[in-house]
Amino acid sequence: MRTDTARGPGIPDHRSAGRYVWWLVVSQRGRVAAGATYGSLWMVGLMLPPYALSRAIDEGLVPGRMPVLLGWVAVLFGVGVANAWLAVMRHRTMTRIRMDATFRTVRVIVAHTLRLGAALPHKVTAGEVVTIGIGDVGVISQTLTMTGPGVGGVLAYGVVAVLLLTVSPLLAGVVLLGVPLLALLVGPLLGRLQGAESRYRERQSGLAARLTDLVGGLRVLNGLGGKDVFADRHRREARALRDEGYRVGAVTSWVQALGVGLPTLFLAAVTWLAARMAAQGAITVGELVAVYGYAAALVVPVSFFIEGGYDLTRGLVAARRVVRFLRLEPPAAAGTGDAAGSGAGDVPEAASVLRDPASGVEVVPGLLTALAAARPGESAAVVDRLGRFADSAATWGAVRLDEIPLPQVRDRILVADNEADLFAGTLREVVGGRRDRTEEAIGRAVRTALAEDIVRGLPDGLDSAVEAQGRNLSGGQRQRLRLVRALLADPEVLLAVEPTSAVDAHTAAGIAARLHRARAGRTTVVTSTSPLLLDRADRVYYLVDGRVAAVGSHRQLLAEQPGYRRLVARGEDEGGVDEDGTDGSGEDLTGTDSATYPRPEAPVTKEDA
């Protein structure tokens, strides 16, 4: 089904939940107008059969007036056929309106997710995004249904009032006052429902986030023996969500019960009053039938009024969550506005020094630079600034990074995050990135990252399937594949965060040696406290509280900086523990050689690298 979103979703109005819902309406004005027209004609058409039936009784059920009776029967049949066609068209149009609203919101959310980029996990949980994408989107689109029968219900209400005035002013007054009274009776429940729905949605997103964390960290939790503790916490939160759901269900049941019961009671009251008037001779039998038909037909718009209020209440709750998500702003340096670089700066044509004034780090082109800090987040923050994933005054040569067009920064500077996503696909696709890679290039990167055992251990080698986030791989294997992917990209500047933290000392030594040789003459920055990697670095920055405390070679800092010496000794003690509880890659790196991906002999020497 083609929707208007094929031309783009447009710019959403996220100033408030109500404005967002209204934006969805005006984004498809023509379709909404058509739906309102069909809905109005259909709803008004429901009021015509009682009128035709009353005329057929009063004027046609008289001896000798068969042509009149047949005429009104024909009118009744024609009205029924027309109403059937209008109902079909109304339903089709409203379905298109809901689908358009659904896909428009999905595209807006996806576009904003891409805009947030790497900042997304720091601003909102995965559970929140899942809940919005699966639940809230459908609830919002359902709200737009009221634009069709809702408008028609108001018109039908007015038509019935006019028709009843021709029968009895008393009956017309009862109907005119009764319908608003029904809405007032349901109103307080809608307020309670909105509060209960809001609490339920918040708990639902929290539980979804907890479940996402559980699935993503199941291997770690199992290794630490914390799986049962986490499962107990999840069960408690699930019970709390269930109880909140019961409260929502209780209010919803009353709303829906009153939506059916009150119109029925209203119909009975109007019919009883009309019957008494007919018995007293105040109205004819045909008019009694007409009044009954009008009251029965009014049950439909009254029910729509109540359902519309219910849908609007739930839709505003859902839209409020979407609006809150759309208000999240990406870091200025990572965005696309003025602060994100308008192209005013001159892009360095040759290799230039990267400087981070906040920490004092200067990355000299062509060298392997290491950042060592007691708190890994401090060195990772430097990488974020140098890679322009955080707002900063970092410079590249004589130009501020945030003055260089972002695509050019991304093409030449690559940040290899240790927690970067691994998407599902073949191993070749996982490491290949956006360009096709030759077997020779892949082989070089695999050997540099000491990942030959991964390729050889999978049933189909590079064509083996890798699950999303590398769930069928160990932590050390995932880390090495991320390094393979970064090396294959072959960026001018590679910024790698903890590239050997999840592998054993033997593997870390091999990676350090081969990385130094593979990136010779290229600018490379690594964050690590592993002495094996630090010893291979051309320059090491020792950071304390996020600032450079000392700079030099690994051996110089060992001799001159007691704090650095303690840090490196701790890194050595903590090294060699994989995130899944194994001693690194979880693989035996010794054994028979392979012509394509030979096993390294232990230990790996500089000559071997």
Side-chain angles (χ1 to χ4, degrees):
M1 180 183 297
R2 189 186 68 82
T3 65
D4 293 342
T5 56
R7 297 190 295 271
I11 301 175
D13 187 345
H14 53 75
R15 287 176 290 178
S16 68
R19 288 178 180 272
Y20 181 80
V21 173
W22 180 246
W23 171 76
L24 291 175
V25 173
V26 299
S27 295
Q28 41 180 334
R29 296 182 184 87
R31 189 176 290 128
V32 169
T37 301
Y38 286 131
S40 299
L41 292 175
W42 170 70
M43 197 77 75
V44 172
L46 293 178
M47 308 305 157
L48 297 181
Y51 176 79
L53 189 58
S54 69
R55 297 279 68 80
I57 294 173
D58 287 344
E59 299 175 11
L61 294 181
V62 177
R65 304 199 67 181
M66 183 60 68
V68 175
L69 177 61
L70 292 178
W72 282 113
V73 169
V75 170
L76 194 60
F77 178 77
V79 169
V81 172
N83 262 8
W85 181 80
L86 288 171
V88 170
M89 297 305 296
R90 178 195 66 85
H91 187 273
R92 289 182 178 179
T93 305
M94 299 315 300
T95 299
R96 290 190 177 98
I97 290 173
R98 289 194 299 270
M99 296 295 288
D100 184 281
T102 296
F103 289 114
R104 194 177 297 274
T105 299
V106 167
R107 291 190 62 179
V108 165
I109 291 173
V110 170
H112 195 62
T113 299
L114 296 177
R115 198 174 300 119
L116 290 172
L120 179 65
H122 304 292
K123 293 179 176 290
V124 65
T125 64
E128 177 81 3
V129 179
V130 170
T131 304
I132 291 173
I134 295 178
D136 293 331
V137 168
V139 173
I140 294 172
S141 62
Q142 182 64 32
T143 304
L144 269 65
T145 301
M146 63 185 297
T147 60
V151 175
V154 175
L155 292 177
Y157 175 67
V159 170
V160 169
V162 172
L163 291 174
L164 282 176
L165 279 173
T166 63
V167 176
S168 168
L170 175 61
L171 290 174
V174 170
V175 172
L176 288 173
L177 295 176
V179 173
L181 180 61
L182 297 181
L184 290 176
L185 291 174
V186 180
L189 287 175
L190 296 178
R192 285 191 58 191
L193 178 63
Q194 187 169 10
E197 279 276 353
S198 297
R199 292 189 295 272
Y200 179 81
R201 291 288 180 179
E202 293 299 328
R203 284 190 177 275
Q204 186 181 39
S205 63
L207 187 64
R210 184 81 65 188
L211 187 60
T212 303
D213 293 341
L214 176 62
V215 173
L218 191 59
R219 185 192 298 267
V220 178
L221 289 171
N222 194 39
L224 297 174
K227 187 168 59 176
D228 292 336
V229 175
F230 202 100
D232 287 339
R233 184 181 303 171
H234 182 271
R235 279 192 290 269
R236 288 196 302 272
E237 294 185 3
R239 284 194 294 268
L241 178 64
R242 178 199 61 192
D243 295 340
E244 199 67 56
Y246 286 159
R247 283 187 281 274
V248 173
V251 180
T252 301
S253 65
W254 277 106
V255 172
Q256 294 180 343
L258 292 175
V260 175
L262 288 178
T264 304
L265 292 175
F266 175 69
L267 169 63
V270 173
T271 303
W272 176 82
L273 180 59
R276 284 185 59 85
M277 295 178 68
Q280 295 170 357
I283 60 176
T284 66
V285 175
E287 289 173 334
L288 170 62
V289 173
V291 170
Y292 175 81
Y294 297 149
L298 271 181
V299 170
V300 177
V302 171
S303 297
F304 270 122
F305 288 151
I306 296 175
E307 283 185 23
Y310 170 68
D311 289 338
L312 181 60
T313 298
R314 299 177 69 238
L316 290 176
V317 172
R320 196 171 294 125
R321 291 160 57 82
V322 172
V323 165
R324 186 169 59 194
F325 177 76
L326 295 178
R327 285 176 179 172
L328 298 177
E329 293 291 340
T336 56
D338 295 337
S342 58
D346 295 325
V347 182
E349 296 182 0
S352 302
V353 176
L354 270 173
R355 294 183 179 86
D356 175 37
S359 63
V361 171
E362 293 189 359
V363 179
V364 177
L367 300 183
L368 173 59
T369 303
L371 309 179
R375 290 188 288 270
E378 294 176 356
S379 52
V382 176
V383 168
D384 283 344
R385 292 192 291 269
L386 294 176
R388 201 173 141 190
F389 281 97
D391 192 10
S392 73
T395 59
W396 193 9
V399 185
R400 281 177 57 118
L401 269 177
D402 56 12
E403 294 178 354
I404 301 174
L406 188 59
Q408 297 191 33
V409 175
R410 294 287 176 259
D411 283 341
R412 298 175 63 181
I413 301 177
L414 173 65
V415 175
D417 194 329
N418 193 31
E419 298 297 326
D421 289 324
L422 294 174
F423 298 105
T426 64
L427 183 58
R428 188 189 307 276
E429 293 169 339
V430 169
V431 301
R434 59 183 177 179
R435 299 186 182 92
D436 293 332
R437 309 293 180 179
T438 65
E439 292 286 337
E440 182 182 1
I442 295 176
R444 284 197 304 269
V446 166
R447 284 190 291 273
T448 300
L450 222 69
E452 303 100 316
D453 57 293
I454 303 175
V455 180
R456 190 173 50 255
L458 293 173
D460 298 316
L462 290 172
D463 295 318
S464 300
V466 176
E467 297 179 9
Q469 303 303 334
R471 289 192 300 266
N472 56 333
L473 303 172
S474 72
Q477 290 173 328
R478 291 195 294 271
Q479 188 174 58
R480 285 181 284 161
L481 287 185
R482 292 186 181 101
L483 182 57
V484 171
R485 184 170 61 183
L487 291 169
L488 271 175
D490 194 28
E492 178 181 330
V493 179
L494 173 61
L495 310 176
V497 179
E498 300 288 348
T500 62
S501 61
V503 299
D504 58 68
H506 168 70
T507 307
I511 292 175
R514 296 183 179 190
L515 179 64
H516 186 273
R517 180 174 179 179
R519 293 286 300 176
R522 309 279 278 174
T523 306
T524 308
V525 178
V526 296
T527 71
S528 179
T529 56
S530 167
L532 299 169
L533 188 55
L534 294 171
D535 190 41
R536 292 284 182 173
D538 299 307
R539 175 181 291 187
V540 178
Y541 283 93
Y542 172 43
L543 304 178
V544 176
D545 295 329
R547 295 284 304 175
V548 174
V551 59
S553 68
H554 171 61
R555 298 184 185 278
Q556 285 178 318
L557 295 178
L558 281 177
E560 300 171 3
Q561 296 291 326
Y564 179 82
R565 193 161 50 246
R566 289 192 297 271
L567 173 63
V568 171
R570 188 184 70 180
E572 187 173 19
D573 292 339
E574 294 177 354
V577 180
D578 195 357
E579 63 182 51
D580 59 358
T582 67
D583 60 347
S585 67
E587 310 295 335
D588 178 12
L589 296 180
T590 61
T592 58
D593 292 338
S594 167
T596 306
Y597 298 105
R599 294 183 181 273
E601 301 296 334
V604 178
T605 63
K606 291 184 179 180
E607 289 73 24
D608 176 58

